[in-house]
């Protein structure tokens, strides 16, 4: 499989724009090769949701990050480039969230579906979820393990996980003003868990 078959199909054009055609092609090709290698050896644990996360969301930015490091960019520079690419996907999710927030009784609708959504899309094979509350005022759950954090550490770039965490802040801002998203820390930033709070606006 290739990056062009993922939601990051725009990466080649962005590499051309950022680094010029010659260097951009080299960086993209390196990222594509890393992606294909890691994708081929990935363990999806027999779960379609895990496959979707790893193949379509986690590995393309990780491969790009490794390609940038291989090209001589510092970790800070590489993170900034990856952050710019990831922001594009987060903004698309924000638009989707905004559409939902326009619905009457958006919080109630979100609350009724959130447990089922988490069970299906964030299964126990990749995440350890602790539910704290899910009532008329707040939805609160903690993630004590996360496949993004686990794989970033496995592939030697734990700092990259912070970019995936930042995407939540962008995407869930689309729920305002009906639902307010808050949290105090993430596994990627060294906290004991990722705490997710969705408060009724």
């Amino acid at each position: 499989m290739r990056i062009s078959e993922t939601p990051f199909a725009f990466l080649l054009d962005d590499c051309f724009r950022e680094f010029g055609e010659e260097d951009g092609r080299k960086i993209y090709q390196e990222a594509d090769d890393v992606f294909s290698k890691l994708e081929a050896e990935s363990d999806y644990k027999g779960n379609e949701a895990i496959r979707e996360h790893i193949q379509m969301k986690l590995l393309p930015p990780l491969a790009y990050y490794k390609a940038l490091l291989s090209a001589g960019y510092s970790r800070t520079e590489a993170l900034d480039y990856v952050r710019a690419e990831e922001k594009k996907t987060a903004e698309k999710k924000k638009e989707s969230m905004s559409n939902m927030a326009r619905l009457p009784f958006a919080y109630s609708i979100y609350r009724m579906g959130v447990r089922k959504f988490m069970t299906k899309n964030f299964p126990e094979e990749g995440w350890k979820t602790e539910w704290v509350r899910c009532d008329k005022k707040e939805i609160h759950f903690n993630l004590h393990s996360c496949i993004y954090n686990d794989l970033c550490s496995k592939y030697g770039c734990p700092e990259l996980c912070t970019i995936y965490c930042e995407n939540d802040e962008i995407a869930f801002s689309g729920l305002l003003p009906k639902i307010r998203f808050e949290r105090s820390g993430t596994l990627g930033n060294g906290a004991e868990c990722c705490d997710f709070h969705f408060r009724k606006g």
Side-chain angles (χ1 to χ4, degrees), residues 35-55 58-59 123 125-127 147-148 150-151 154-155:
F35 170 80
S36 294
K37 177 180 181 296
L38 295 182
E39 192 273 331
E41 66 184 32
S42 291
D43 178 11
Y44 302 134
K45 305 180 187 298
N47 188 290
E48 180 61 21
I50 296 290
R51 184 202 64 77
E52 177 76 11
H53 279 282
I54 294 177
Q55 194 178 69
L58 196 158
L59 287 185
E125 290 88 348
W127 292 265
I147 199 167
Y148 286 81
D150 293 344
L151 290 184
K154 175 183 176 179
Y155 291 122

Side-chain angles (χ1 to χ4, degrees), residues 39-120:
E39 192 273 331
E41 66 184 32
S42 291
D43 178 11
Y44 302 134
K45 305 180 187 298
N47 188 290
E48 180 61 21
I50 296 290
R51 184 202 64 77
E52 177 76 11
H53 279 282
I54 294 177
Q55 194 178 69
M56 297 294 175
K57 301 175 182 178
L58 196 158
L59 287 185
L62 190 151
Y64 182 41
Y65 183 61
K66 285 190 167 293
L68 289 165
L69 295 179
S70 180
Y73 289 90
S74 69
R75 289 183 180 263
T76 299
E77 291 171 327
L79 283 174
D80 284 342
Y81 281 122
V82 174
R83 181 178 287 110
E85 299 302 311
E86 276 285 270
K87 187 176 180 180
K88 292 184 178 183
T89 61
E91 289 290 348
K92 288 182 180 179
K93 187 175 180 181
K94 178 181 177 180
E95 291 179 16
S96 176
M97 293 288 181
S98 296
N99 290 334
M100 197 205 79
R102 294 188 186 98
L103 297 174
F105 311 109
Y107 178 82
S108 296
I109 294 171
Y110 198 77
R111 179 169 69 92
M112 285 189 293
V114 67
R115 284 181 179 269
K116 184 177 180 180
F117 178 85
M118 289 297 296
T119 299
K120 178 181 178 182

Side-chain angles (χ1 to χ4, degrees), residues 3-4 7 31 47-48 56 60 84 101 120 139 144 161 164 179 193 201:
I3 290 178
S4 59
N47 188 290
E48 180 61 21
M56 297 294 175
K120 178 181 178 182
I139 300 161
H144 292 281
C161 190
Y164 301 111
I179 304 170
C193 69

